Amino acid sequence: MNGHVEEKLFTQERQQALLAYVEQHKKATVAELCQLYKVSTATIRNDLREMEKLMLVTRTHGGVLIRSKTGFEMMAQEKATRNHDEKVRIARLALAQIEDGDTLLLDTGTTTLELAKLLGERERLSVITNDLLIAMTLEEMPSIANLFIIGGAVRQKLHCVIPSTNNTGLSDLIVDKAIMGANGFTIKNGATTPDIRQASLKREMIACASNVILLVDSKKFGRDTFAKFAEISEISIFVTDEISEENRASLESKGVMVVSDSQQNMPD
């Protein structure tokens, strides 16, 4: 690997660490970030400038604030690099909930895309999706017996489709499992997304499924976005990388099965 590529990878790793730190503390000064990551003031300012261009943070005089808005949605490329390892682990856990011969509704999202990459490990699946990248991933998999994509207008830079009419055809379908992503999830408000049109389609997907599997990484737990699309009572299985015992108990008391990476690592 040449030096330029190594430097680029190191910069991306540092910026991901910076973002995680600022998300946790809500704000930070340039001085504390320099001390924390052992780099110069110029390097930190360059990092923050790039992160602000991606609308991940807001720079202030001498520091930075996390950018957190209920109506804000990152572009697909930005989502793909955020919490990637957690999404891969969640996808592996979700695969265990899928059986040969299942009919699936696969929601748009970077975590559901990671799951799509694993579906070659199952057989005779039928999949309906509104995500262009998921459709392209599944197109040539021998394990996919049938593949359908929901039609409509493409959301630019998000790689997904929003129906342009009220007649999606989903109401005529009965599927085994709807596998959904979310931008936010709280015990009070359930699953949410920033886009009201996306929320409407998600509700339709949930309505025709015998079981609803929600994939949410732990960074989204406790965060609300603009439009609700699922009550907790509508969720069959909640899959995440880690969850507190209090939140697990709250979900299980409402009849939701909770599957988490931390649970898999618990001693017998």
Side-chain angles (χ1 to χ4, degrees):
M1 183 181 293
N2 64 46
H4 176 72
V5 175
E6 288 179 345
E7 182 181 353
K8 184 176 180 181
L9 289 175
F10 182 74
T11 299
Q12 289 175 340
E13 290 173 359
R14 185 178 62 251
Q15 289 178 2
Q16 288 178 7
L18 281 170
L19 182 60
Y21 181 85
V22 178
E23 280 190 325
Q24 180 180 355
H25 296 86
K26 308 303 180 188
K27 61 182 180 179
T29 65
V30 170
E32 70 181 283
L33 294 174
C34 289
Q35 183 176 7
L36 187 62
Y37 296 102
K38 310 300 181 187
V39 293
S40 69
T41 299
T43 297
I44 288 296
R45 291 192 188 281
N46 284 337
D47 286 339
L48 298 181
R49 193 175 296 112
E50 290 184 21
M51 293 163 67
E52 187 175 48
K53 286 179 182 177
L54 295 174
M55 296 188 293
L56 300 175
V57 298
T58 299
R59 287 189 298 157
T60 63
H61 180 68
V64 63
L65 300 172
I66 192 65
R67 180 166 179 161
S68 178
K69 301 291 184 183
T70 59
F72 171 67
E73 185 168 12
M74 289 183 291
M75 298 298 98
Q77 185 176 1
E78 297 148 35
K79 290 181 181 181
T81 60
R82 225 182 197 198
N83 308 323
H84 180 260
D85 291 345
E86 290 90 339
K87 292 172 183 178
V88 171
R89 296 203 301 272
I90 291 168
R92 176 58 61 181
L93 294 172
L95 182 67
Q97 310 303 320
I98 297 173
E99 301 173 337
D100 292 346
D102 271 348
T103 299
L104 308 174
L105 264 167
L106 202 50
D107 189 19
T108 186
T110 50
T111 308
T112 48
L113 176 59
E114 293 299 330
L115 174 59
K117 295 174 184 177
L118 301 176
L119 292 183
E121 299 180 29
R122 296 292 182 266
E123 296 180 358
R124 305 183 312 280
L125 298 177
S126 295
V127 179
I128 306 157
T129 187
N130 68 320
D131 189 294
L132 302 176
L133 290 182
I134 288 176
M136 291 173 64
T137 299
L138 300 179
E139 183 183 7
E140 297 186 13
M141 276 190 188
S143 60
I144 306 301
N146 300 287
L147 177 62
F148 306 93
I149 189 161
I150 298 169
V154 174
R155 294 187 71 193
Q156 292 185 341
K157 297 185 180 181
L158 287 167
H159 304 157
C160 67
V161 173
I162 294 290
S164 51
T165 69
N166 292 328
N167 184 19
T168 62
L170 289 176
S171 61
D172 297 326
L173 303 180
I174 300 174
V175 301
D176 297 311
K177 293 155 187 169
I179 303 172
M180 311 299 297
N183 295 77
F185 182 87
T186 61
I187 297 295
K188 177 182 178 182
N189 293 318
T192 56
T193 182
D195 190 279
I196 194 167
R197 300 166 303 165
Q198 195 77 48
S200 178
L201 177 58
K202 285 174 181 281
R203 285 192 289 268
E204 286 191 64
M205 296 170 79
I206 286 171
C208 62
S210 299
N211 293 282
V212 176
I213 303 174
L214 185 67
L215 314 185
V216 178
D217 71 67
S218 55
K219 299 293 192 303
K220 296 174 182 175
F221 208 117
R223 176 186 301 173
D224 283 322
T225 55
F226 181 60
K228 180 191 295 188
F229 67 86
E231 302 282 357
I232 290 178
S233 60
E234 296 176 289
I235 300 165
S236 310
I237 304 174
F238 185 91
V239 185
T240 188
D241 52 310
E242 60 181 47
I243 187 171
S244 70
E245 287 305 312
E246 179 183 0
N247 286 330
R248 179 189 294 275
S250 293
L251 289 173
E252 290 179 342
S253 70
K254 299 176 186 297
V256 179
M257 174 181 171
V258 179
V259 178
S260 69
D261 195 46
S262 55
Q263 180 183 34
Q264 300 294 313
N265 295 328
M266 289 175 61
D268 295 332

mmCIF file of all heavy atoms in Angstrom, residues 79-125:
data_model
loop_
_atom_site.group_PDB
_atom_site.id
_atom_site.type_symbol
_atom_site.label_atom_id
_atom_site.label_comp_id
_atom_site.label_asym_id
_atom_site.label_seq_id
_atom_site.Cartn_x
_atom_site.Cartn_y
_atom_site.Cartn_z
ATOM 1 N N LYS A 79 -23.518 7.698 5.019
ATOM 2 C CA LYS A 79 -24.070 6.670 5.886
ATOM 3 C C LYS A 79 -23.221 5.408 5.868
ATOM 4 O O LYS A 79 -23.048 4.740 6.886
ATOM 5 C CB LYS A 79 -25.498 6.318 5.438
ATOM 6 C CG LYS A 79 -26.538 7.385 5.674
ATOM 7 C CD LYS A 79 -27.887 6.863 5.207
ATOM 8 C CE LYS A 79 -28.991 7.876 5.370
ATOM 9 N NZ LYS A 79 -30.288 7.345 4.932
ATOM 10 N N ALA A 80 -22.726 5.064 4.681
ATOM 11 C CA ALA A 80 -22.002 3.802 4.517
ATOM 12 C C ALA A 80 -20.752 3.744 5.363
ATOM 13 O O ALA A 80 -20.331 2.657 5.796
ATOM 14 C CB ALA A 80 -21.653 3.596 3.039
ATOM 15 N N THR A 81 -20.100 4.892 5.618
ATOM 16 C CA THR A 81 -18.859 4.895 6.383
ATOM 17 C C THR A 81 -19.098 5.048 7.875
ATOM 18 O O THR A 81 -18.174 4.864 8.662
ATOM 19 C CB THR A 81 -17.945 6.039 5.904
ATOM 20 O OG1 THR A 81 -18.620 7.290 6.084
ATOM 21 C CG2 THR A 81 -17.593 5.871 4.431
ATOM 22 N N ARG A 82 -20.306 5.370 8.260
ATOM 23 C CA ARG A 82 -20.603 5.608 9.671
ATOM 24 C C ARG A 82 -20.973 4.293 10.363
ATOM 25 O O ARG A 82 -21.872 3.584 9.940
ATOM 26 C CB ARG A 82 -21.766 6.593 9.788
ATOM 27 C CG ARG A 82 -21.525 7.669 10.824
ATOM 28 C CD ARG A 82 -22.728 8.570 10.918
ATOM 29 N NE ARG A 82 -22.370 9.796 11.588
ATOM 30 C CZ ARG A 82 -23.254 10.619 12.127
ATOM 31 N NH1 ARG A 82 -24.530 10.355 12.055
ATOM 32 N NH2 ARG A 82 -22.859 11.722 12.719
ATOM 33 N N ASN A 83 -20.269 3.963 11.451
ATOM 34 C CA ASN A 83 -20.570 2.768 12.243
ATOM 35 C C ASN A 83 -20.606 1.501 11.386
ATOM 36 O O ASN A 83 -21.442 0.623 11.592
ATOM 37 C CB ASN A 83 -21.916 2.947 12.970
ATOM 38 C CG ASN A 83 -21.984 4.238 13.761
ATOM 39 O OD1 ASN A 83 -21.003 4.662 14.350
ATOM 40 N ND2 ASN A 83 -23.145 4.871 13.761
ATOM 41 N N HIS A 84 -19.670 1.416 10.430
ATOM 42 C CA HIS A 84 -19.704 0.307 9.466
ATOM 43 C C HIS A 84 -19.568 -1.047 10.147
ATOM 44 O O HIS A 84 -20.293 -1.994 9.814
ATOM 45 C CB HIS A 84 -18.603 0.490 8.415
ATOM 46 C CG HIS A 84 -18.562 -0.602 7.403
ATOM 47 N ND1 HIS A 84 -17.662 -1.648 7.466
ATOM 48 C CD2 HIS A 84 -19.337 -0.841 6.313
ATOM 49 C CE1 HIS A 84 -17.879 -2.469 6.459
ATOM 50 N NE2 HIS A 84 -18.880 -2.008 5.748
ATOM 51 N N ASP A 85 -18.653 -1.172 11.092
ATOM 52 C CA ASP A 85 -18.441 -2.465 11.751
ATOM 53 C C ASP A 85 -19.693 -2.929 12.481
ATOM 54 O O ASP A 85 -20.035 -4.113 12.455
ATOM 55 C CB ASP A 85 -17.265 -2.378 12.727
ATOM 56 C CG ASP A 85 -15.930 -2.203 12.022
ATOM 57 O OD1 ASP A 85 -15.872 -2.429 10.784
ATOM 58 O OD2 ASP A 85 -14.945 -1.832 12.687
ATOM 59 N N GLU A 86 -20.372 -1.981 13.144
ATOM 60 C CA GLU A 86 -21.609 -2.330 13.845
ATOM 61 C C GLU A 86 -22.665 -2.830 12.867
ATOM 62 O O GLU A 86 -23.386 -3.795 13.148
ATOM 63 C CB GLU A 86 -22.141 -1.115 14.615
ATOM 64 C CG GLU A 86 -21.319 -0.710 15.820
ATOM 65 C CD GLU A 86 -20.229 0.299 15.475
ATOM 66 O OE1 GLU A 86 -19.848 0.386 14.283
ATOM 67 O OE2 GLU A 86 -19.763 0.989 16.401
ATOM 68 N N LYS A 87 -22.759 -2.186 11.705
ATOM 69 C CA LYS A 87 -23.759 -2.577 10.705
ATOM 70 C C LYS A 87 -23.490 -3.973 10.161
ATOM 71 O O LYS A 87 -24.423 -4.743 9.923
ATOM 72 C CB LYS A 87 -23.781 -1.546 9.575
ATOM 73 C CG LYS A 87 -24.309 -0.190 10.021
ATOM 74 C CD LYS A 87 -24.147 0.872 8.956
ATOM 75 C CE LYS A 87 -24.632 2.218 9.474
ATOM 76 N NZ LYS A 87 -24.462 3.296 8.499
ATOM 77 N N VAL A 88 -22.217 -4.305 9.979
ATOM 78 C CA VAL A 88 -21.866 -5.644 9.502
ATOM 79 C C VAL A 88 -22.260 -6.685 10.543
ATOM 80 O O VAL A 88 -22.794 -7.756 10.201
ATOM 81 C CB VAL A 88 -20.360 -5.729 9.187
ATOM 82 C CG1 VAL A 88 -19.936 -7.164 8.897
ATOM 83 C CG2 VAL A 88 -20.015 -4.830 7.995
ATOM 84 N N ARG A 89 -22.009 -6.393 11.813
ATOM 85 C CA ARG A 89 -22.375 -7.345 12.879
ATOM 86 C C ARG A 89 -23.897 -7.511 12.960
ATOM 87 O O ARG A 89 -24.402 -8.622 13.134
ATOM 88 C CB ARG A 89 -21.814 -6.878 14.218
ATOM 89 C CG ARG A 89 -20.294 -6.853 14.281
ATOM 90 C CD ARG A 89 -19.794 -6.936 15.710
ATOM 91 N NE ARG A 89 -20.272 -5.861 16.554
ATOM 92 C CZ ARG A 89 -19.665 -4.686 16.704
ATOM 93 N NH1 ARG A 89 -18.557 -4.430 16.021
ATOM 94 N NH2 ARG A 89 -20.153 -3.774 17.503
ATOM 95 N N ILE A 90 -24.619 -6.404 12.841
ATOM 96 C CA ILE A 90 -26.084 -6.471 12.875
ATOM 97 C C ILE A 90 -26.606 -7.298 11.699
ATOM 98 O O ILE A 90 -27.520 -8.105 11.848
ATOM 99 C CB ILE A 90 -26.679 -5.046 12.850
ATOM 100 C CG1 ILE A 90 -26.381 -4.324 14.166
ATOM 101 C CG2 ILE A 90 -28.186 -5.083 12.605
ATOM 102 C CD1 ILE A 90 -26.678 -2.834 14.135
ATOM 103 N N ALA A 91 -26.018 -7.106 10.530
ATOM 104 C CA ALA A 91 -26.438 -7.860 9.345
ATOM 105 C C ALA A 91 -26.255 -9.353 9.556
ATOM 106 O O ALA A 91 -27.121 -10.161 9.184
ATOM 107 C CB ALA A 91 -25.646 -7.402 8.120
ATOM 108 N N ARG A 92 -25.133 -9.741 10.166
ATOM 109 C CA ARG A 92 -24.884 -11.162 10.432
ATOM 110 C C ARG A 92 -25.914 -11.723 11.409
ATOM 111 O O ARG A 92 -26.411 -12.845 11.236
ATOM 112 C CB ARG A 92 -23.464 -11.318 10.959
ATOM 113 C CG ARG A 92 -23.073 -12.722 11.366
ATOM 114 C CD ARG A 92 -23.187 -13.743 10.265
ATOM 115 N NE ARG A 92 -22.333 -13.478 9.121
ATOM 116 C CZ ARG A 92 -22.300 -14.240 8.035
ATOM 117 N NH1 ARG A 92 -23.115 -15.294 7.929
ATOM 118 N NH2 ARG A 92 -21.508 -13.940 7.027
ATOM 119 N N LEU A 93 -26.272 -10.941 12.431
ATOM 120 C CA LEU A 93 -27.306 -11.372 13.382
ATOM 121 C C LEU A 93 -28.664 -11.490 12.696
ATOM 122 O O LEU A 93 -29.439 -12.411 12.970
ATOM 123 C CB LEU A 93 -27.395 -10.380 14.548
ATOM 124 C CG LEU A 93 -26.181 -10.285 15.471
ATOM 125 C CD1 LEU A 93 -26.352 -9.125 16.437
ATOM 126 C CD2 LEU A 93 -25.984 -11.586 16.244
ATOM 127 N N ALA A 94 -28.959 -10.552 11.801
ATOM 128 C CA ALA A 94 -30.251 -10.568 11.099
ATOM 129 C C ALA A 94 -30.354 -11.762 10.167
ATOM 130 O O ALA A 94 -31.447 -12.328 9.984
ATOM 131 C CB ALA A 94 -30.437 -9.268 10.320
ATOM 132 N N LEU A 95 -29.241 -12.160 9.562
ATOM 133 C CA LEU A 95 -29.258 -13.309 8.648
ATOM 134 C C LEU A 95 -29.770 -14.556 9.352
ATOM 135 O O LEU A 95 -30.453 -15.385 8.738
ATOM 136 C CB LEU A 95 -27.854 -13.553 8.088
ATOM 137 C CG LEU A 95 -27.738 -14.704 7.087
ATOM 138 C CD1 LEU A 95 -28.495 -14.392 5.799
ATOM 139 C CD2 LEU A 95 -26.275 -15.013 6.790
ATOM 140 N N ALA A 96 -29.473 -14.689 10.636
ATOM 141 C CA ALA A 96 -29.914 -15.855 11.388
ATOM 142 C C ALA A 96 -31.435 -15.924 11.521
ATOM 143 O O ALA A 96 -31.986 -16.991 11.838
ATOM 144 C CB ALA A 96 -29.267 -15.852 12.776
ATOM 145 N N GLN A 97 -32.117 -14.803 11.268
ATOM 146 C CA GLN A 97 -33.581 -14.766 11.362
ATOM 147 C C GLN A 97 -34.251 -15.083 10.025
ATOM 148 O O GLN A 97 -35.477 -15.120 9.948
ATOM 149 C CB GLN A 97 -34.041 -13.379 11.834
ATOM 150 C CG GLN A 97 -33.333 -12.860 13.065
ATOM 151 C CD GLN A 97 -33.451 -13.796 14.252
ATOM 152 O OE1 GLN A 97 -34.512 -14.377 14.490
ATOM 153 N NE2 GLN A 97 -32.355 -13.935 15.001
ATOM 154 N N ILE A 98 -33.452 -15.335 8.987
ATOM 155 C CA ILE A 98 -33.988 -15.590 7.650
ATOM 156 C C ILE A 98 -33.818 -17.054 7.298
ATOM 157 O O ILE A 98 -32.745 -17.640 7.506
ATOM 158 C CB ILE A 98 -33.258 -14.704 6.612
ATOM 159 C CG1 ILE A 98 -33.523 -13.223 6.923
ATOM 160 C CG2 ILE A 98 -33.713 -15.029 5.192
ATOM 161 C CD1 ILE A 98 -32.717 -12.272 6.082
ATOM 162 N N GLU A 99 -34.869 -17.662 6.752
ATOM 163 C CA GLU A 99 -34.860 -19.079 6.413
ATOM 164 C C GLU A 99 -34.932 -19.275 4.904
ATOM 165 O O GLU A 99 -35.424 -18.399 4.169
ATOM 166 C CB GLU A 99 -36.051 -19.778 7.074
ATOM 167 C CG GLU A 99 -36.062 -19.652 8.597
ATOM 168 C CD GLU A 99 -37.336 -20.204 9.207
ATOM 169 O OE1 GLU A 99 -38.358 -20.265 8.479
ATOM 170 O OE2 GLU A 99 -37.327 -20.553 10.387
ATOM 171 N N ASP A 100 -34.455 -20.407 4.441
ATOM 172 C CA ASP A 100 -34.579 -20.757 3.028
ATOM 173 C C ASP A 100 -36.036 -20.655 2.594
ATOM 174 O O ASP A 100 -36.943 -21.087 3.320
ATOM 175 C CB ASP A 100 -34.076 -22.181 2.780
ATOM 176 C CG ASP A 100 -32.579 -22.321 2.980
ATOM 177 O OD1 ASP A 100 -31.880 -21.295 3.056
ATOM 178 O OD2 ASP A 100 -32.096 -23.471 3.064
ATOM 179 N N GLY A 101 -36.261 -20.098 1.419
ATOM 180 C CA GLY A 101 -37.623 -20.002 0.881
ATOM 181 C C GLY A 101 -38.418 -18.813 1.346
ATOM 182 O O GLY A 101 -39.568 -18.631 0.915
ATOM 183 N N ASP A 102 -37.862 -17.963 2.195
ATOM 184 C CA ASP A 102 -38.583 -16.788 2.688
ATOM 185 C C ASP A 102 -38.881 -15.790 1.565
ATOM 186 O O ASP A 102 -38.123 -15.657 0.606
ATOM 187 C CB ASP A 102 -37.753 -16.060 3.754
ATOM 188 C CG ASP A 102 -38.011 -16.580 5.163
ATOM 189 O OD1 ASP A 102 -38.987 -17.332 5.353
ATOM 190 O OD2 ASP A 102 -37.235 -16.228 6.067
ATOM 191 N N THR A 103 -40.001 -15.087 1.736
ATOM 192 C CA THR A 103 -40.305 -13.917 0.923
ATOM 193 C C THR A 103 -40.039 -12.695 1.787
ATOM 194 O O THR A 103 -40.616 -12.557 2.866
ATOM 195 C CB THR A 103 -41.774 -13.925 0.460
ATOM 196 O OG1 THR A 103 -42.001 -15.080 -0.342
ATOM 197 C CG2 THR A 103 -42.085 -12.684 -0.354
ATOM 198 N N LEU A 104 -39.154 -11.807 1.303
ATOM 199 C CA LEU A 104 -38.682 -10.688 2.111
ATOM 200 C C LEU A 104 -38.999 -9.350 1.464
ATOM 201 O O LEU A 104 -38.882 -9.189 0.250
ATOM 202 C CB LEU A 104 -37.165 -10.774 2.292
ATOM 203 C CG LEU A 104 -36.568 -12.088 2.795
ATOM 204 C CD1 LEU A 104 -35.049 -12.007 2.774
ATOM 205 C CD2 LEU A 104 -37.073 -12.410 4.193
ATOM 206 N N LEU A 105 -39.383 -8.378 2.284
ATOM 207 C CA LEU A 105 -39.363 -6.970 1.906
ATOM 208 C C LEU A 105 -38.113 -6.389 2.540
ATOM 209 O O LEU A 105 -37.956 -6.428 3.767
ATOM 210 C CB LEU A 105 -40.609 -6.264 2.436
ATOM 211 C CG LEU A 105 -41.786 -6.126 1.472
ATOM 212 C CD1 LEU A 105 -43.031 -5.693 2.221
ATOM 213 C CD2 LEU A 105 -41.465 -5.129 0.364
ATOM 214 N N LEU A 106 -37.209 -5.886 1.718
ATOM 215 C CA LEU A 106 -35.936 -5.393 2.222
ATOM 216 C C LEU A 106 -35.891 -3.879 2.045
ATOM 217 O O LEU A 106 -35.816 -3.356 0.927
ATOM 218 C CB LEU A 106 -34.795 -6.073 1.468
ATOM 219 C CG LEU A 106 -33.420 -6.120 2.125
ATOM 220 C CD1 LEU A 106 -33.498 -6.629 3.565
ATOM 221 C CD2 LEU A 106 -32.479 -7.017 1.325
ATOM 222 N N ASP A 107 -35.955 -3.178 3.164
ATOM 223 C CA ASP A 107 -35.986 -1.719 3.191
ATOM 224 C C ASP A 107 -34.655 -1.139 2.728
ATOM 225 O O ASP A 107 -33.611 -1.794 2.787
ATOM 226 C CB ASP A 107 -36.272 -1.291 4.635
ATOM 227 C CG ASP A 107 -36.538 0.188 4.791
ATOM 228 O OD1 ASP A 107 -36.860 0.854 3.792
ATOM 229 O OD2 ASP A 107 -36.434 0.667 5.939
ATOM 230 N N THR A 108 -34.688 0.112 2.275
ATOM 231 C CA THR A 108 -33.456 0.782 1.900
ATOM 232 C C THR A 108 -32.601 1.085 3.127
ATOM 233 O O THR A 108 -33.112 1.252 4.231
ATOM 234 C CB THR A 108 -33.755 2.101 1.151
ATOM 235 O OG1 THR A 108 -32.537 2.653 0.672
ATOM 236 C CG2 THR A 108 -34.449 3.112 2.040
ATOM 237 N N GLY A 109 -31.289 1.143 2.924
ATOM 238 C CA GLY A 109 -30.401 1.505 4.028
ATOM 239 C C GLY A 109 -29.060 0.807 3.940
ATOM 240 O O GLY A 109 -28.911 -0.219 3.264
ATOM 241 N N THR A 110 -28.077 1.351 4.640
ATOM 242 C CA THR A 110 -26.736 0.773 4.594
ATOM 243 C C THR A 110 -26.637 -0.514 5.405
ATOM 244 O O THR A 110 -25.859 -1.402 5.059
ATOM 245 C CB THR A 110 -25.697 1.798 5.089
ATOM 246 O OG1 THR A 110 -26.130 2.350 6.338
ATOM 247 C CG2 THR A 110 -25.533 2.915 4.087
ATOM 248 N N THR A 111 -27.421 -0.647 6.469
ATOM 249 C CA THR A 111 -27.401 -1.890 7.235
ATOM 250 C C THR A 111 -28.118 -2.999 6.475
ATOM 251 O O THR A 111 -27.646 -4.143 6.430
ATOM 252 C CB THR A 111 -28.046 -1.694 8.616
ATOM 253 O OG1 THR A 111 -27.448 -0.563 9.263
ATOM 254 C CG2 THR A 111 -27.835 -2.935 9.491
ATOM 255 N N THR A 112 -29.243 -2.679 5.858
ATOM 256 C CA THR A 112 -29.941 -3.689 5.054
ATOM 257 C C THR A 112 -29.117 -4.066 3.825
ATOM 258 O O THR A 112 -29.181 -5.201 3.353
ATOM 259 C CB THR A 112 -31.334 -3.192 4.634
ATOM 260 O OG1 THR A 112 -31.238 -1.866 4.097
ATOM 261 C CG2 THR A 112 -32.290 -3.173 5.824
ATOM 262 N N LEU A 113 -28.317 -3.139 3.315
ATOM 263 C CA LEU A 113 -27.414 -3.471 2.207
ATOM 264 C C LEU A 113 -26.372 -4.488 2.653
ATOM 265 O O LEU A 113 -26.055 -5.428 1.911
ATOM 266 C CB LEU A 113 -26.732 -2.205 1.681
ATOM 267 C CG LEU A 113 -25.685 -2.409 0.585
ATOM 268 C CD1 LEU A 113 -26.272 -3.085 -0.647
ATOM 269 C CD2 LEU A 113 -25.045 -1.073 0.195
ATOM 270 N N GLU A 114 -25.836 -4.324 3.860
ATOM 271 C CA GLU A 114 -24.878 -5.310 4.377
ATOM 272 C C GLU A 114 -25.545 -6.682 4.510
ATOM 273 O O GLU A 114 -24.919 -7.712 4.245
ATOM 274 C CB GLU A 114 -24.319 -4.860 5.728
ATOM 275 C CG GLU A 114 -23.438 -3.620 5.663
ATOM 276 C CD GLU A 114 -22.213 -3.802 4.794
ATOM 277 O OE1 GLU A 114 -21.713 -4.944 4.685
ATOM 278 O OE2 GLU A 114 -21.747 -2.804 4.207
ATOM 279 N N LEU A 115 -26.805 -6.695 4.910
ATOM 280 C CA LEU A 115 -27.534 -7.960 4.983
ATOM 281 C C LEU A 115 -27.710 -8.566 3.594
ATOM 282 O O LEU A 115 -27.537 -9.782 3.412
ATOM 283 C CB LEU A 115 -28.900 -7.740 5.639
ATOM 284 C CG LEU A 115 -29.844 -8.951 5.645
ATOM 285 C CD1 LEU A 115 -29.218 -10.134 6.380
ATOM 286 C CD2 LEU A 115 -31.186 -8.578 6.255
ATOM 287 N N ALA A 116 -28.042 -7.740 2.612
ATOM 288 C CA ALA A 116 -28.228 -8.235 1.245
ATOM 289 C C ALA A 116 -26.978 -8.962 0.750
ATOM 290 O O ALA A 116 -27.076 -9.976 0.044
ATOM 291 C CB ALA A 116 -28.574 -7.075 0.311
ATOM 292 N N LYS A 117 -25.817 -8.473 1.127
ATOM 293 C CA LYS A 117 -24.564 -9.094 0.697
ATOM 294 C C LYS A 117 -24.397 -10.511 1.245
ATOM 295 O O LYS A 117 -23.618 -11.301 0.705
ATOM 296 C CB LYS A 117 -23.378 -8.235 1.145
ATOM 297 C CG LYS A 117 -23.325 -6.864 0.501
ATOM 298 C CD LYS A 117 -22.210 -6.013 1.108
ATOM 299 C CE LYS A 117 -22.195 -4.604 0.551
ATOM 300 N NZ LYS A 117 -21.155 -3.756 1.185
ATOM 301 N N LEU A 118 -25.140 -10.835 2.311
ATOM 302 C CA LEU A 118 -25.028 -12.147 2.951
ATOM 303 C C LEU A 118 -26.088 -13.140 2.484
ATOM 304 O O LEU A 118 -26.031 -14.317 2.859
ATOM 305 C CB LEU A 118 -25.142 -11.992 4.476
ATOM 306 C CG LEU A 118 -24.111 -11.090 5.159
ATOM 307 C CD1 LEU A 118 -24.437 -10.972 6.652
ATOM 308 C CD2 LEU A 118 -22.702 -11.621 4.969
ATOM 309 N N LEU A 119 -27.049 -12.687 1.681
ATOM 310 C CA LEU A 119 -28.188 -13.540 1.354
ATOM 311 C C LEU A 119 -27.833 -14.708 0.439
ATOM 312 O O LEU A 119 -28.647 -15.613 0.249
ATOM 313 C CB LEU A 119 -29.316 -12.707 0.740
ATOM 314 C CG LEU A 119 -29.995 -11.712 1.701
ATOM 315 C CD1 LEU A 119 -31.136 -10.990 1.003
ATOM 316 C CD2 LEU A 119 -30.502 -12.425 2.960
ATOM 317 N N GLY A 120 -26.630 -14.713 -0.108
ATOM 318 C CA GLY A 120 -26.171 -15.871 -0.864
ATOM 319 C C GLY A 120 -26.032 -17.109 -0.001
ATOM 320 O O GLY A 120 -25.912 -18.229 -0.513
ATOM 321 N N GLU A 121 -26.057 -16.940 1.320
ATOM 322 C CA GLU A 121 -25.974 -18.073 2.249
ATOM 323 C C GLU A 121 -27.327 -18.732 2.480
ATOM 324 O O GLU A 121 -27.424 -19.706 3.226
ATOM 325 C CB GLU A 121 -25.366 -17.607 3.578
ATOM 326 C CG GLU A 121 -23.951 -17.056 3.433
ATOM 327 C CD GLU A 121 -23.361 -16.608 4.760
ATOM 328 O OE1 GLU A 121 -23.745 -17.183 5.798
ATOM 329 O OE2 GLU A 121 -22.505 -15.698 4.755
ATOM 330 N N ARG A 122 -28.380 -18.204 1.888
ATOM 331 C CA ARG A 122 -29.703 -18.823 1.951
ATOM 332 C C ARG A 122 -30.112 -19.267 0.547
ATOM 333 O O ARG A 122 -29.438 -18.978 -0.434
ATOM 334 C CB ARG A 122 -30.724 -17.833 2.520
ATOM 335 C CG ARG A 122 -30.437 -17.430 3.957
ATOM 336 C CD ARG A 122 -30.630 -18.591 4.913
ATOM 337 N NE ARG A 122 -30.391 -18.197 6.296
ATOM 338 C CZ ARG A 122 -29.228 -18.338 6.926
ATOM 339 N NH1 ARG A 122 -28.188 -18.850 6.268
ATOM 340 N NH2 ARG A 122 -29.087 -17.979 8.174
ATOM 341 N N GLU A 123 -31.227 -19.985 0.445
ATOM 342 C CA GLU A 123 -31.668 -20.501 -0.853
ATOM 343 C C GLU A 123 -33.122 -20.131 -1.111
ATOM 344 O O GLU A 123 -33.907 -19.948 -0.184
ATOM 345 C CB GLU A 123 -31.520 -22.028 -0.900
ATOM 346 C CG GLU A 123 -30.076 -22.510 -0.782
ATOM 347 C CD GLU A 123 -29.969 -24.030 -0.833
ATOM 348 O OE1 GLU A 123 -31.025 -24.699 -0.924
ATOM 349 O OE2 GLU A 123 -28.838 -24.545 -0.786
ATOM 350 N N ARG A 124 -33.462 -19.988 -2.402
ATOM 351 C CA ARG A 124 -34.835 -19.821 -2.884
ATOM 352 C C ARG A 124 -35.554 -18.633 -2.236
ATOM 353 O O ARG A 124 -36.719 -18.719 -1.852
ATOM 354 C CB ARG A 124 -35.647 -21.103 -2.668
ATOM 355 C CG ARG A 124 -35.040 -22.352 -3.274
ATOM 356 C CD ARG A 124 -35.924 -23.575 -3.085
ATOM 357 N NE ARG A 124 -36.393 -23.717 -1.715
ATOM 358 C CZ ARG A 124 -35.662 -24.220 -0.723
ATOM 359 N NH1 ARG A 124 -34.419 -24.628 -0.946
ATOM 360 N NH2 ARG A 124 -36.168 -24.320 0.496
ATOM 361 N N LEU A 125 -34.860 -17.530 -2.137
ATOM 362 C CA LEU A 125 -35.471 -16.333 -1.550
ATOM 363 C C LEU A 125 -36.178 -15.514 -2.616
ATOM 364 O O LEU A 125 -35.723 -15.431 -3.757
ATOM 365 C CB LEU A 125 -34.404 -15.463 -0.881
ATOM 366 C CG LEU A 125 -33.631 -16.070 0.282
ATOM 367 C CD1 LEU A 125 -32.570 -15.086 0.766
ATOM 368 C CD2 LEU A 125 -34.561 -16.464 1.428
#
